[in-house]
Amino acid sequence: MYMTCLDLEGVLVPEIWIAFAEETGIPELKKTTRDEPDYNKLMKYRLDILKEHGLGLKEIQETIEKIDPMPGAKEFLDALRSFTQVVIISDTFTQFARPLMKKLGWPTLFCNELIVAENGEVTDFKMRIENSKYSTVKALQSAGVDTIASGDSFNDLGMIRASKAGFLFRTTDAIREANPDVPALETYDELLAAIKKAMVE
């Protein structure tokens, strides 16, 4: 049995924090896991900026409501789910994901939780599991599932390298050059074809 494990932001939907940075005019919030491999450090940096500007969950959710999946993403996901099981493994948060999952046709999502005060301030975050993408792929494999993985950032490389086949998708030049052995694809058609091929090899 195969399970295709996909990153969410940068693969199926635009980066939430970049959209929020543009909405608020705070360029510091544009930093993502493409720039900072240490997710805990990145999130603490983001929470400090939110606190400094008096922004909370409500403001972020208002931005997320306006975000649409990338062109062709839902069609790609529908086509992929017609021949293999799919799970999205993301470092996003349940409080962010619901509107996006609705627009993608409610795929299965493993993600994390924000800790939010009564006044809406995001005070902390709780990771579902340590090194969540790699750990989830290894857990699926321990249940007898072969995994194929794709993502765009540093924090996707663990699950990509641990899987039977793995692909970078619309990644940065720096990540591509640092990982020349990992196929780097640019279109959903290419990714769909690569996953199909990996399943028969």
Side-chain angles (χ1 to χ4, degrees), residues 114-125:
L114 290 172
I115 298 170
V116 184
E118 284 186 17
N119 65 358
E121 180 188 348
V122 182
T123 58
D124 205 349
F125 59 97

Side-chain angles (χ1 to χ4, degrees), residues 16 59-68 92 95-100 103:
I16 290 168
E59 290 80 9
I60 303 171
Q61 287 176 328
E62 285 170 355
T63 295
I64 292 168
E65 288 286 350
K66 302 174 192 173
I67 296 174
D68 286 320
T92 193
Q95 294 95 332
F96 289 2
R98 189 171 178 81
L100 300 170
K103 291 175 182 179

